[in-house]
Amino acid sequence: MTVVNMDAWLWWLIGAAVLGVALVVTTMPELGMLAVGALAAALASYLGGGLVTQVLVFAAVSTALIVVVRPIAVRHRSQRPQLASGVDALRGRQAVVVERVDGSGDGRIKLAGEIWSARALDAGASFEPGQQVDVVEIDGATAVVM
């Protein structure tokens, strides 16, 4: 059995590729950071660094990435998307009164290009056609405005 004598930098590149594939398969970002550490160790080896230097570069780069990048990635992953959709996207928008709106719910507004039934948030308030109103909430198929 013959053992192929390969340079150490090539072994580090193979290790980085294996870690990259494992990253894609498992979607664990830490493996990507280890792969970058292996690439840095391959560069250190290619530039003539000894085995101890290569291992120290791998450990330092991998640890630095995990310590710095991982908390940022976790924070971004835990944030809710800022994109609202459906009726959530209509809250807070302005609309134009088409038919008189009061507390009874018989009025109509033009909201996001569509005609909606509407009622005033305050039962004593009323809005005349042409007035701008703010949508406070959507109650079923009725916009509550003020």
Side-chain angles (χ1 to χ4, degrees):
M1 186 156 96
T2 307
V3 175
V4 178
N5 185 13
M6 293 192 325
D7 290 331
W9 65 269
L10 196 52
W11 284 110
W12 284 109
L13 284 179
I14 291 170
V18 169
L19 287 166
V21 169
L23 164 68
V24 171
V25 171
T26 64
T27 65
M28 290 181 55
E30 293 82 3
L31 293 176
M33 296 172 207
L34 292 173
V36 172
L39 288 174
L43 180 63
S45 173
Y46 185 76
L47 294 176
L51 182 61
V52 173
T53 303
Q54 296 167 33
V55 172
L56 287 175
V57 166
F58 171 74
V61 170
S62 298
T63 302
L65 286 173
I66 289 173
V67 167
V68 174
V69 175
R70 189 174 184 280
I72 296 169
V74 168
R75 187 176 30 226
H76 282 284
R77 195 180 323 161
S78 66
Q79 288 179 343
R80 269 188 74 202
Q82 299 299 320
L83 180 64
S85 62
V87 294
D88 291 334
L90 299 176
R91 288 189 193 113
R93 296 206 43 195
Q94 286 193 335
V96 177
V97 176
V98 176
E99 293 177 13
R100 186 173 193 271
V101 175
D102 54 24
S104 68
D106 294 332
R108 301 273 184 264
I109 60 170
K110 187 168 189 173
L111 172 62
E114 297 178 345
I115 303 297
W116 282 73
S117 62
R119 68 176 165 81
L121 178 64
D122 180 14
S126 64
F127 304 99
E128 299 302 321
Q131 277 187 289
Q132 293 255 341
V133 292
D134 293 322
V135 177
V136 178
E137 66 177 311
I138 304 294
D139 183 18
T142 302
V144 179
V145 300
M146 61 181 261

